[in-house]
Amino acid sequence: DGTLHPTGKIGRFGPGTGIRDTQMGCPKVRWVPHRVSPIGKDIHTDCTPPEGNPRKLRIPGEDLPHVLTRLTDPALYSGQDIVVVGGGDSAIEVAAALADRNRVTMAVRTPEFIRAKDALERHALELATKKELTIHFNAIVESIDPTFVTLKLSSSTIKVRAGVVIVKIGALPPRRFLENCGVKFAGPEPLGVPVLGAGYDTNIPGLFVVGAASGRGDLIKHAVNQGYEVVEQMCGRAVEPVDEAP
């Protein structure tokens, strides 16, 4: 019906696998994968969106209407003061996309970019060198107000003007959902990742986990590229991992 609903567990519905919705009061198929005819096997890929459960800053003002967790269209923003919270790939991509037409500040909790790809890190630092992007490392967001963000730095506390705040600090993995499917995890930690083989395969035959839920990349392109790798491998074709390629 075009409406997103929380999903329950994966179960078989004839050929292929669907997602059985156990939380809406009746079982429904939300997604049925395609059969890969060359080898006659079904591919069951977890496509639950982790973005639906973003991590929280747990600070005052986090629920204000100008605080967002995703950037839908950079063209919607021009001449604005924007603070991007986070230091990973997605945070850098958001900041870079907005920097040419806005005054953008990044608040990075760590002393440097530690999770970003080299190319993205270089791009962000180049923008900062050209004064097109402001980056505060060792920055802890203490509170968010309607017109500014309070950052605690190593030796001071500052207020940064912000008409828009975009928080990109990752999302909580859908652990309970995956465990309900029978997927094993490496440990009991709430933010732990599932045990996966080199080809994103779980301990459940034919069930693969890609993208942010796998712990191997938090961008949409990671999920798309990894899903492509799974299909190619299932079809018996060698494929070079796109995201790890130089």
Side-chain angles (χ1 to χ4, degrees):
D1 57 7
T3 303
L4 292 177
H5 299 288
T7 55
K9 66 172 70 175
I10 289 180
R12 284 194 174 277
F13 297 89
T17 294
I19 295 179
R20 180 181 295 275
D21 186 343
T22 60
Q23 300 182 24
M24 297 297 292
C26 58
K28 295 181 181 179
V29 178
R30 294 300 178 193
W31 169 70
V32 179
H34 297 289
R35 178 179 291 278
V36 183
S37 56
I39 56 176
K41 295 182 179 179
D42 297 326
I43 296 178
H44 319 140
T45 304
D46 172 29
C47 57
T48 59
E51 277 292 341
N53 192 23
R55 287 191 175 97
K56 295 287 189 179
L57 291 169
R58 301 190 183 282
I59 58 171
E62 184 174 22
D63 296 325
L64 289 172
H66 69 298
V67 181
L68 313 173
T69 58
R70 66 175 63 194
L71 175 65
T72 55
D73 185 358
L76 297 176
Y77 303 91
S78 180
Q80 298 196 47
D81 295 298
I82 301 175
V83 170
V84 178
V85 182
D89 290 347
S90 56
I92 294 177
E93 289 195 342
V94 167
L98 294 167
D100 61 336
R101 300 201 306 166
N102 301 276
R103 296 172 294 278
V104 181
T105 298
M106 290 192 72
V108 184
R109 179 176 55 83
T110 53
E112 59 185 6
F113 294 116
I114 60 175
R115 295 189 299 110
K117 285 188 169 53
D118 291 342
L120 286 172
E121 178 180 355
R122 286 196 301 270
H123 185 43
L125 295 177
E126 288 171 1
L127 290 174
T129 300
K130 294 187 292 185
K131 308 296 184 183
E132 297 177 10
L133 173 66
T134 300
I135 305 175
H136 290 296
F137 291 106
N138 288 317
I140 304 298
V141 183
E142 288 195 330
S143 63
I144 301 174
D145 289 274
T147 58
F148 61 87
V149 173
T150 301
L151 300 180
K152 182 178 181 181
L153 307 182
S154 299
S155 57
S156 64
T157 298
I158 64 173
K159 295 184 184 296
V160 179
R161 292 191 61 83
V164 177
V165 179
I166 303 178
V167 181
K168 302 298 295 183
I169 57 174
L172 297 174
R175 176 163 184 150
R176 186 173 66 174
F177 170 75
L178 292 175
E179 287 181 326
N180 286 342
C181 297
V183 175
K184 293 182 179 179
F185 281 72
E189 299 81 10
L191 300 181
V193 295
V195 176
L196 301 178
Y200 309 100
D201 48 302
T202 69
N203 57 293
I204 305 299
L207 178 61
F208 301 82
V209 178
V210 300
S214 71
R216 300 182 184 179
D218 61 353
L219 299 178
I220 293 176
K221 67 179 182 181
H222 294 148
V224 173
N225 290 338
Q226 293 163 9
Y228 172 78
E229 291 174 33
V230 169
V231 174
E232 290 297 287
Q233 292 169 16
M234 290 289 288
C235 290
R237 294 189 286 264
V239 58
E240 181 180 3
V242 176
D243 292 317
E244 287 72 30

